[in-house]
Amino acid sequence: MIDREKRRMIDNIPDQTCFGCGRDNPIGLQMQFETDEEKIYSFVTVPAAMAGWDTTVHGGILSTILDEMMGWSVIYLLGKIGVTKSMTVEFLKPVQAEQPLTAVGLIQEVVSDRQVLVRGEIYNREAVLCTRSTGTFAAMTSQAAVRLGVMSSAYMERFLPILRQREERNSL
């Protein structure tokens, strides 16, 4: 059960064109995120154009949602940039397009300063677990992300407040 009273929106940068979370990507999922400070949530409805067979959501789209949830778990819950090293997806039940879904992300284990195990889950409107994933993420500082070419320094400048928002909320 998700306690709506404890959830808060997680900010994202404007003009974001990411396929998963970019509000300015007209063909993307435009996912937004909320948190209860332990998990990350997104309430998403996949458009019919992203179906595979008939109205069943394509597995690649479900994998993208889970990857996004796990990545944002590292971003918000740990305050680091998370890059997917590997992920495993289990498709348990068919997921239908044009139906409300609840996606959940959480940190499973911090292996080291640079490696994190993360979990993602997708539930249908009846709260049935349909798809789940586990992932190994490289967790890095903003400086390392720029140095390794994950993002430019100009982009990182815009993204830094997003990395720091949990820290700032907790200091209030």
Side-chain angles (χ1 to χ4, degrees):
M1 185 80 175
I2 301 170
D3 187 346
R4 293 179 189 265
E5 296 296 316
K6 290 185 178 181
R7 285 194 332 246
R8 295 180 181 188
M9 287 297 295
I10 297 173
D11 294 331
N12 196 352
I13 59 175
D15 305 322
Q16 174 64 279
T17 58
C18 170
F19 179 79
C21 68
R23 297 180 90 187
D24 292 329
N25 185 333
I27 61 167
L29 293 165
Q30 300 181 0
M31 295 171 68
Q32 296 180 33
F33 306 99
E34 298 180 16
T35 185
D36 61 7
E37 303 300 327
E38 293 178 21
K39 297 178 182 176
I40 303 299
Y41 303 94
S42 185
F43 304 93
V44 63
T45 300
V46 177
M50 295 182 188
W53 296 108
D54 193 18
T55 61
T56 301
V57 176
H58 194 283
I61 298 299
L62 296 172
S63 298
T64 299
I65 292 169
L66 292 165
D67 188 43
E68 200 73 14
M69 295 307 298
M70 293 188 296
W72 274 88
S73 294
V74 175
I75 290 166
Y76 183 79
L77 296 173
L78 299 179
K80 293 187 173 187
I81 298 297
V83 178
T84 313
K85 290 178 71 176
S86 66
M87 71 183 273
T88 303
V89 180
E90 295 178 78
F91 302 97
L92 307 170
K93 303 243 183 235
V95 174
Q96 301 306 308
E98 301 294 336
Q99 300 296 317
L101 303 173
T102 301
V104 180
L106 62 137
I107 303 298
Q108 192 168 305
E109 179 185 353
V110 176
V111 177
S112 70
D113 282 347
R114 295 183 187 169
Q115 185 169 307
V116 182
L117 300 179
V118 193
R119 193 166 79 223
E121 303 166 339
I122 298 174
Y123 296 86
N124 65 16
R125 69 164 36 155
E126 289 83 26
V128 173
L129 178 62
C130 296
T131 313
R132 67 180 167 214
S133 63
T134 54
T136 301
F137 276 66
M140 61 190 77
T141 65
S142 57
Q143 297 88 350
V146 170
R147 187 178 69 251
L148 295 171
V150 174
M151 60 183 74
S152 69
S153 57
Y155 188 94
M156 181 56 77
E157 233 3 85
R158 293 176 50 222
F159 200 78
L160 277 174
I162 307 310
L163 286 174
R164 296 179 180 145
Q165 63 186 311
R166 183 175 194 208
E167 179 182 305
E168 290 170 3
R169 281 186 183 158
N170 288 340
S171 68
L172 296 178

